[in-house]
Amino acid sequence: MSRKQITGIGPAPRTGVDDSGCPILHVDMDAFFASVELLDRPELRGRPVIVGSPAGRGVVLSATYEARAFGVHSAMPMSRARRLCPQATVIPPSHGKYSEVSKGVMEIFHTITPLVEPIASDEAFLDVGGARRRLGAPAAVAAMIREQVLDRYGITCSVGVASSKFVAKLASKQCKPDGLLVVPADQVVDFLHPLPVSALWGVGERTEQSLVRLGIRTVGDLARVPSSTLQRELGQAAGAHLAALAWGRDERAVTAHVPDKSIGNEETFAADVDDPEVIKRELLRLSERVAARMRKAGHVGRTVSVKLRRADFTTINRSRTLREPTDVAQVIYATACELFGAAGLDRVRLRLVGVRMENLRPVDEATRQLALGEKETGWREAEQAMDKAIRRFGPDAVVPASLVRGKLDEIET
């Protein structure tokens, strides 16, 4: 397995790079889901592999770099990925395996420093400034992390080492796959300014188009534009934000614990669906999953959101804030159905639906206030009992009757 090492900027030497002002690491696993799958399929190494639904339509969850060479990337529709790379091997996802490896990788990070900020299952920021005396300089710590991940799990990661989160994340992207890149604090501007302006956080497709119309194509171009001009063209907050990033200014600290902002699940149908009953059954299935995840995490939420994607890929999002926070699937489901009904999509073909809970808070901080004469429904206690049965007997131990009927209908047809 390869082990690439990059330090400094461009052709800088492998040793002697000044990382004294670079306590921030961004560790990003390389093609994480695909790499985990190849642990059980070593014969596929070096070949294009896509993780996604082999028969369904869905989207690409991960792809090896051999598949990416054909233009395949995460979140791309599977139909397009198969057209771009028909020779790729498609592997269905195994989410349990990914969670197990992700947990182990995060444990490695926590042996290095308590200042670990996960931003996905396969990447995290670390502040290793306090580990210098115990473990050495940041670049040495980054190299140690890469070796430990490889030795323990047989997969590679890329690490950016820099003075800020923003630059560290850019550095890890620049050295992928299987690399390590240090951007010395006094060379941040030299590193940033040749990059395309799209590299900056907050520059999406529309913002990039606006900047190109102004003749701004690189980060260096942007840095030479007065902040007042950017604020006038892009808005005060966005203009000031991009002006700061163009000079490498990012004051955000690594936050050891970031509370979940939302919990959601979505599903792409095997074929477009225009039957409201089938759609509502899927909304129930998703509501059950979301509520179970919330209870497991110790959260309740107040805002229910649904995502409805039409056959033409037009996506409609609707949300409603409840009077009281909840983690009860039946409450989430009822609200999701109301949002679906209000969207005016009756008999419109849908390819994807999703349910998400937002405005989360710890369950022990939420109070339940019954209105005068209102009775407890007992749904929460019933669903907690379902949780216990599922933990003991497996995910199919308890299933809502309507989902069982729906499954039988599918079998009969």
Side-chain angles (χ1 to χ4, degrees), residues 9 37 53 116 123 134 194 225 251 276 363 368 376 379 393:
I9 299 174
E37 293 293 349
S53 174
V116 178
E123 59 179 312
R134 179 169 57 95
V225 176
E251 304 300 327
V363 65
R368 173 75 170 98
E376 285 279 10
W379 275 116
F393 300 109

Side-chain angles (χ1 to χ4, degrees), residues 197-212 242:
V197 73
S198 58
L200 297 179
W201 285 350
V203 177
E205 184 176 347
R206 294 181 62 182
T207 301
E208 183 180 8
Q209 291 172 355
S210 298
L211 293 172
V212 169
L242 293 181

Side-chain angles (χ1 to χ4, degrees), residues 141-280:
V141 173
M144 180 176 66
I145 288 173
R146 297 175 69 235
E147 292 297 340
Q148 289 189 12
V149 170
L150 180 65
D151 291 345
R152 188 174 303 182
Y153 295 104
I155 57 178
T156 64
C157 61
S158 299
V159 186
V161 184
S163 55
S164 68
K165 293 167 70 173
F166 163 61
V167 178
K169 186 170 174 66
L170 284 181
S172 68
K173 183 177 181 180
Q174 289 289 308
C175 67
K176 275 186 166 293
D178 191 22
L180 189 162
L181 178 60
V182 178
V183 181
D186 61 355
Q187 297 182 46
V188 166
V189 171
D190 294 335
F191 170 72
L192 288 177
H193 283 192
L195 297 177
V197 73
S198 58
L200 297 179
W201 285 350
V203 177
E205 184 176 347
R206 294 181 62 182
T207 301
E208 183 180 8
Q209 291 172 355
S210 298
L211 293 172
V212 169
R213 283 197 296 269
L214 296 173
I216 300 171
R217 299 182 181 277
T218 68
V219 177
D221 294 337
L222 182 70
R224 288 185 284 271
V225 176
S227 179
S228 57
T229 301
L230 293 175
Q231 292 182 53
R232 184 176 62 250
E233 295 292 333
L234 304 175
Q236 186 172 358
H241 168 72
L242 293 181
L245 291 185
W247 290 100
R249 294 193 292 270
D250 177 18
E251 304 300 327
R252 295 168 309 142
V254 173
T255 305
H257 174 67
V258 178
D260 291 324
K261 295 181 179 180
S262 65
I263 291 178
N265 280 94
E266 57 188 47
E267 186 69 36
T268 300
F269 295 115
D272 297 336
V273 174
D274 63 2
D275 185 342
E277 292 306 313
V278 174
I279 293 170
K280 288 180 180 179

Side-chain angles (χ1 to χ4, degrees), residues 386 389-399:
M386 290 169 57
I390 289 170
R391 285 196 296 270
R392 182 171 181 181
F393 300 109
D396 297 324
V398 184
V399 180

